[in-house]
Amino acid sequence: MQLTRWLGWGAGILLLSLGAHAETTGTEGDATLLPGCQWKDQTILIHGKPSQQLSFRYQECTAKDLPKVVYALNEREELIQSWGGDHGGPVARFWPLKGEKPSVLIHNIAAPSIDPKEIGRCVVHLDFASNTYNYEPNAAYMEELLATDEPFASCGDYGTTNDAIQYFVVIDKVLLAYMWLGQDTPFFDPASFKYVNTEKPGVVE
């Protein structure tokens, strides 16, 4: 019974993840745009290198119905979404792959933040349908969490919750990104990220 519930929950998260991708990949004029908003492109410099650029698109809003958002990359390579002042937080974080397997890098990033009681109970899972990765509870641990019938957050700072969408994804085969999409339609398009090194194509230094 619990395994059936876990599989159902997993299918739900998959559909939500795919829905998040589909919902934000339309063009200007699509019904996918939030009211009073339009798609706008932004390019940021990553790793402090003028030649290394990360571009993406986000929804620029009039502030009449929805707030205007601002994006900036901090020293931790986190993309901060804010509405001015101190109101805001990270929506993505980036690491260079440097030829390492994504699953290995994800484990090295995520494992140190887990609760001691979760050691040996969290695994890296690749979703073939959406080509995204999750650091999530193994089957036995997932059954325990689902048995509470309550919202939960598991496996540390880069783990999994049944109350929002968040995952790892590889960008242009050179960057690993962790996306925090939350519960609602995001203001940015998580499928739009592109990396370019104008001096050394395909290289992250």
Side-chain angles (χ1 to χ4, degrees), residues 9 13 16 150-153 160-166 182-184:
W9 175 85
I13 288 296
L16 285 171
E150 297 288 341
F152 64 81
T160 302
T161 175
N162 63 344
D163 202 34
I165 299 173
Q166 51 203 49
Q183 297 175 319
D184 303 313

Side-chain angles (χ1 to χ4, degrees), residues 178-200:
Y178 185 72
M179 304 284 184
W180 289 277
L181 301 189
Q183 297 175 319
D184 303 313
T185 300
F187 281 89
F188 68 101
D189 181 351
S192 68
F193 285 87
K194 301 294 181 185
Y195 168 81
V196 173
N197 185 334
T198 57
E199 291 183 354
K200 301 176 182 178

Side-chain angles (χ1 to χ4, degrees), residues 40-192:
K40 184 174 181 179
D41 295 324
Q42 180 168 343
T43 298
I44 54 179
L45 302 182
I46 193 166
H47 306 299
K49 304 279 187 177
S51 63
Q52 299 189 47
Q53 302 172 359
L54 190 65
S55 63
F56 63 99
R57 69 176 190 168
Y58 69 97
Q59 298 194 45
E60 183 180 54
C61 306
T62 61
K64 180 180 179 181
D65 300 305
L66 292 166
K68 290 185 176 181
V69 297
V70 177
Y71 293 92
L73 199 69
N74 67 13
E75 67 280 357
R76 283 166 46 90
E77 308 289 11
E78 292 174 330
L79 185 65
I80 305 299
Q81 176 181 284
S82 63
W83 292 268
D86 297 326
H87 183 59
V91 292
R93 188 175 180 183
F94 309 95
W95 299 264
L97 276 176
K98 294 184 178 179
E100 195 165 24
K101 288 184 177 181
S103 58
V104 173
L105 182 55
I106 290 169
H107 175 79
N108 292 338
I109 290 167
S113 68
I114 67 174
D115 190 288
K117 67 182 182 182
E118 294 181 318
I119 293 176
R121 310 190 77 189
C122 298
V123 296
V124 178
H125 174 253
L126 169 61
D127 187 318
F128 292 101
S130 62
N131 204 28
T132 60
Y133 296 81
N134 284 289
Y135 191 64
E136 62 186 32
N138 60 25
Y141 183 25
M142 182 68 79
E143 287 183 340
E144 291 180 20
L145 294 171
L146 290 174
T148 66
D149 286 323
E150 297 288 341
F152 64 81
S154 60
C155 299
D157 297 340
Y158 301 96
T160 302
T161 175
N162 63 344
D163 202 34
I165 299 173
Q166 51 203 49
Y167 54 80
F168 287 94
V169 66
V170 175
I171 298 173
D172 294 329
K173 300 181 180 180
V174 293
L175 283 179
L176 177 70
Y178 185 72
M179 304 284 184
W180 289 277
L181 301 189
Q183 297 175 319
D184 303 313
T185 300
F187 281 89
F188 68 101
D189 181 351
S192 68

Side-chain angles (χ1 to χ4, degrees), residues 28-46:
E28 287 194 26
D30 277 359
T32 56
L33 283 170
L34 294 167
C37 304
Q38 62 181 353
W39 289 116
K40 184 174 181 179
D41 295 324
Q42 180 168 343
T43 298
I44 54 179
L45 302 182
I46 193 166

